[in-house]
Amino acid sequence: MATVRKTITVTDQQDSWIKAQIENGHYTNDSEYIRDLIRKEQERSAQIETLRKALIEGENSGEPQPFDAAAFKQRMLAAG
């Protein structure tokens, strides 16, 4: 996989945080930490998009139907 070199600027407080994560053994260097943050944000964004699509699907599925919790529980017990 090709890599691209980036230059970023962080505050002193942010730099201290990154260094602490490395010193605690969570990461081996700054780049690894930043890449992990990006991966986590990508995963979070994908989860939000999945949830957004499910909500839209639910909204488009029609009028709500009454839900009988007791009957549902009985069906689940019988199926189990």
Side-chain angles (χ1 to χ4, degrees):
M1 180 182 291
T3 60
V4 177
R5 181 174 293 276
K6 297 280 185 184
T7 302
I8 64 167
T9 304
V10 296
T11 65
D12 289 338
Q13 182 182 15
Q14 291 167 334
D15 187 51
S16 294
W17 173 261
I18 294 169
K19 287 178 180 175
Q21 299 309 299
I22 294 166
E23 289 171 7
N24 289 330
H26 300 292
Y27 302 94
T28 58
N29 57 47
D30 296 22
S31 292
E32 184 183 349
Y33 179 71
I34 300 300
R35 285 191 301 270
D36 190 47
L37 289 177
I38 293 169
R39 278 190 296 275
K40 287 177 181 175
E41 177 61 18
Q42 288 171 325
E43 290 170 8
R44 188 182 77 81
S45 293
Q47 290 171 345
I48 289 171
E49 185 59 27
T50 299
L51 181 57
R52 184 174 287 123
K53 286 178 181 178
L55 289 169
I56 290 169
E57 182 180 335
E59 288 174 348
N60 292 334
S61 68
E63 290 298 315
Q65 301 297 316
F67 181 73
D68 185 341
F72 175 77
K73 191 172 184 179
Q74 286 298 319
R75 285 194 309 273
M76 293 300 103
L77 290 172

